[in-house]
């Protein structure tokens, strides 16, 4: 792994950093193809939006792009992570105690997921953990991901690729590492993220582009029963792209040509 901390090679941050102590920061994980970040337009927009939600100043876009490309230029395929924290500060929760922000950019070689996940679909399960409700952080990819960690610890069966999460009120929110979508006729439905969950870059891309496929993008409250009754379902994140959902418990779906068309269009993005 190659890493830059505030633009300098290294792997050490201060033990006083608020990202370490309080999860006070945001991050993005993204794919590099030929040394260039995939879907950069949507990735940077999400990072900047999340930073603003926490009253953090987002790094200059060109600066981040230069750092990613410098670290990734030797790899045909790699995974990158950008972490932005409020920086080191004195004890206590007050934001005013922080000094300069901490910016961490890292890149590792990566061979990707098995191709059949995108072509044939994946198997998911329901998680027992229920997501908490906190509108102030809804949609933000902040550094406190303990709910996801605990949910992912619920299974170790390699035949299951993802776990799906409901909130305290029983509404479908997301997967442990993905956004979730349902197809119902010509409607593409996805859970509203106004109370919890993470808004992903691929989700933003779908918001901008599904009309080209004759689909209406709708955010709404969705139940487990809505998912089971869907004509088709799929998952997304910035590494997997789009994975059709093939099996959830006893429910089985056949990947549709429409999902494959969406997947291929996404893969063609710069």
């Amino acid at each position: 792994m190659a890493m830059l901390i505030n633009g300098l090679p290294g792997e050490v941050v201060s033990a006083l950093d608020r990202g370490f102590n309080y999860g006070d920061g945001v991050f993005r994980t993204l794919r590099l193809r030929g040394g260039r970040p995939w879907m950069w337009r949507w990735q940077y927009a999400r990072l900047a939006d999340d930073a603003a939600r926490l009253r953090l100043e987002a790094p200059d876009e060109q600066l981040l792009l230069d750092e990613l490309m410098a670290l990734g230029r030797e790899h045909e395929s790699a995974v990158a992570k950008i972490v932005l924290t409020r920086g080191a500060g004195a004890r206590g929760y007050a934001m005013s105690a922080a000094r300069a922000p901490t910016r961490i950019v890292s890149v590792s070689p990566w061979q990707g997921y098995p191709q059949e996940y995108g072509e044939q679909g994946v198997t998911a399960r329901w998680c027992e953990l229920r997501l908490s409700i906190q509108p102030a952080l809804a949609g933000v990819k902040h550094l406190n991901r303990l709910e996801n960690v605990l949910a992912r610890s619920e299974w170790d069966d390699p035949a299951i690729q993802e776990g799906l999460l409901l909130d305290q009120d029983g509404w479908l929110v997301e997967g442990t590492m993905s956004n979730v979508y349902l197809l119902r006729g010509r409607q593409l439905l996805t859970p509203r993220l106004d109370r919890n969950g993470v808004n992903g870059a691929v989700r933003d891309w779908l918001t901008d582009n599904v009309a080209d496929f004759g689909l209406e993008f709708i955010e709404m409250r969705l139940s487990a029963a809505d998912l089971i009754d869907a004509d088709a379902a799929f998952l997304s994140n910035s590494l997997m792209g789009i994975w059709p959902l093939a099996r959830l418990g006893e429910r089985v779906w056949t990947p549709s040509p429409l999902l494959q068309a969406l997947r291929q269009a996404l893969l063609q993005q710069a």
Side-chain angles (χ1 to χ4, degrees):
M1 175 186 292
M3 184 178 295
L4 296 174
I5 301 176
N6 294 327
L8 300 174
E11 297 182 352
V12 178
V13 297
S14 170
L16 299 176
D17 195 280
R18 291 175 62 88
F20 170 73
N21 284 283
Y22 306 121
D24 189 359
V26 297
F27 75 103
R28 284 284 148 182
T29 304
L30 57 152
R31 188 192 308 183
L32 301 184
R33 301 194 300 192
R36 299 189 62 87
W38 179 51
M39 295 187 61
W40 179 244
R41 167 187 161 190
W42 290 273
Q43 292 289 356
Y44 184 78
R46 286 260 44 90
L47 178 71
D49 185 72
D50 287 354
R53 292 277 302 279
L54 295 191
R55 286 178 276 171
L56 291 166
E57 183 178 352
D60 177 76
E61 181 176 359
Q62 189 60 51
L63 172 65
L64 277 180
L65 188 58
D66 289 345
E67 291 182 344
L68 287 166
M69 293 177 66
L71 294 178
R73 61 191 173 195
E74 297 181 1
H75 306 294
E76 182 59 31
S77 178
V79 59
K81 187 172 184 178
I82 302 168
V83 178
L84 179 66
T85 83
R86 205 173 303 278
R91 187 185 66 82
Y93 294 138
M95 290 183 182
S96 60
R99 303 166 192 163
T102 299
R103 181 183 75 258
I104 304 170
V105 177
S106 61
V107 171
S108 302
W110 186 62
Q111 297 306 310
Y113 291 109
Q115 189 170 343
E116 59 263 28
Y117 289 179
E119 295 178 348
Q120 301 171 21
V122 296
T123 298
R125 70 187 295 276
W126 292 110
C127 292
E128 295 180 11
L129 182 139
R130 295 292 180 263
L131 291 174
S132 58
I133 296 170
Q134 177 47 269
L137 295 174
V140 177
K141 197 165 188 177
H142 54 77
L143 292 176
N144 188 337
R145 304 258 53 95
L146 283 176
E147 289 182 320
N148 304 70
V149 170
L150 291 173
R152 182 59 186 85
S153 72
E154 292 182 17
W155 83 94
D156 57 11
D157 183 351
I160 297 174
Q161 287 76 46
E162 179 61 306
L164 302 182
L165 292 158
L166 306 174
D167 67 17
Q168 298 290 331
D169 293 334
W171 295 112
L172 175 65
V173 180
E174 60 188 1
T176 65
M177 62 175 181
S178 64
N179 289 123
V180 183
Y181 313 86
L182 288 62
L183 283 177
R184 181 188 295 166
R186 304 307 296 181
Q187 295 179 327
L188 194 159
L189 311 177
T190 195
R192 292 180 63 187
L193 300 180
D194 59 333
R195 307 196 306 171
N196 43 29
V198 173
N199 189 5
V202 175
R203 188 177 187 271
D204 280 353
W205 180 87
L206 289 164
T207 303
D208 293 342
N209 289 278
V210 294
D212 295 340
F213 296 83
L215 294 171
E216 180 184 8
F217 190 91
I218 301 174
E219 300 172 274
M220 61 183 292
R221 299 273 184 256
L222 293 166
S223 67
D226 289 325
L227 176 56
I228 297 300
D229 291 341
D231 299 333
F234 65 98
L235 313 170
S236 79
N237 74 22
S238 296
L239 296 182
M240 69 173 64
I242 287 174
W243 286 352
L245 190 55
R247 178 182 292 274
L248 177 65
E250 298 302 314
R251 180 64 161 102
V252 176
W253 292 271
T254 300
S256 71
L258 177 57
L259 290 191
Q260 290 304 315
L262 278 174
R263 176 173 169 268
Q264 290 302 320
L266 176 65
L267 290 172
Q268 292 168 15
Q269 289 298 311

